[in-house]
Amino acid sequence: MQVIRSLEQHSASPVGLGIRVILVSQSLNSSPLPHRLAGLGGKVEIADDLFVGLEAVIEDPAGYGLCVIDCDAFGGLAAGRRAHELLTDVARRVPVILLSKDCAAQEFPEERGEAVVLRAPTSGISLRVGFEHALRDRLAMRLM
């Protein structure tokens, strides 16, 4: 027996509709990442320098809904984790996703201030799952 659920697709909206996302990456020429983030509803701003991107989030934590860091361009996952440590006070308000080819197992932490870690290059599905997990508090509020 097969059960098929019909979803009301006409009323569905992208996950991060209107959320301001800062993408910190240097390899954007051939990367579909900015377009994928925009496809999830994000308003993507790009910083090609790690410290410029971190500074933008620290100076305006209320202005950003998500920070995505492509760690491989800045020294790998260890460098991304160090950058996340610089955002410890802000990370409780601005979720962080770290992307790296060094990632052996993707991480979806329960703690609010911890970063989601995804293996690079990300597939559309893993990025969507990571995006939804990072924004899970925001999504719970939108359901009402």
Side-chain angles (χ1 to χ4, degrees):
M1 183 167 141
Q2 191 174 33
V3 177
I4 300 173
R5 288 180 113 175
S6 174
L7 298 174
E8 294 181 16
Q9 302 234 349
H10 57 84
S11 65
S13 62
V15 176
L17 187 62
I19 194 165
R20 193 168 159 210
V21 178
I22 185 157
L23 171 60
V24 183
S25 179
Q26 289 182 341
S27 58
L28 296 174
N29 294 336
S30 61
S31 174
L33 190 55
H35 299 290
R36 286 184 178 164
L37 289 169
L40 293 171
K43 294 178 183 175
V44 181
E45 295 178 19
I46 299 168
D48 62 359
D49 181 78
L50 180 62
F51 294 106
V52 170
L54 295 178
E55 180 183 20
V57 174
I58 290 169
E59 287 183 358
D60 188 15
Y64 290 100
L66 180 66
C67 176
V68 179
I69 302 174
D70 181 4
C71 303
D72 294 333
F74 305 108
L77 187 55
R81 290 192 191 278
R82 284 192 302 273
H84 181 254
E85 287 175 10
L86 295 173
L87 295 174
T88 51
D89 294 335
V90 177
R92 295 200 184 283
R93 292 180 278 162
V94 182
V96 176
I97 296 176
L98 302 176
L99 308 172
S100 178
K101 63 183 176 190
D102 299 337
C103 174
Q106 300 191 104
E107 300 172 19
F108 302 96
E110 291 301 318
E111 295 297 318
R112 184 180 307 227
E114 296 296 315
V116 171
V117 180
L118 302 176
R119 188 174 12 265
T122 59
S123 67
I125 294 170
S126 68
L127 185 61
R128 182 178 182 91
V129 171
F131 196 88
E132 287 178 356
H133 188 79
L135 299 175
R136 64 192 178 279
D137 295 333
R138 181 180 186 270
L139 295 175
M141 304 277 269
R142 277 187 61 209
L143 293 176
M144 292 298 187

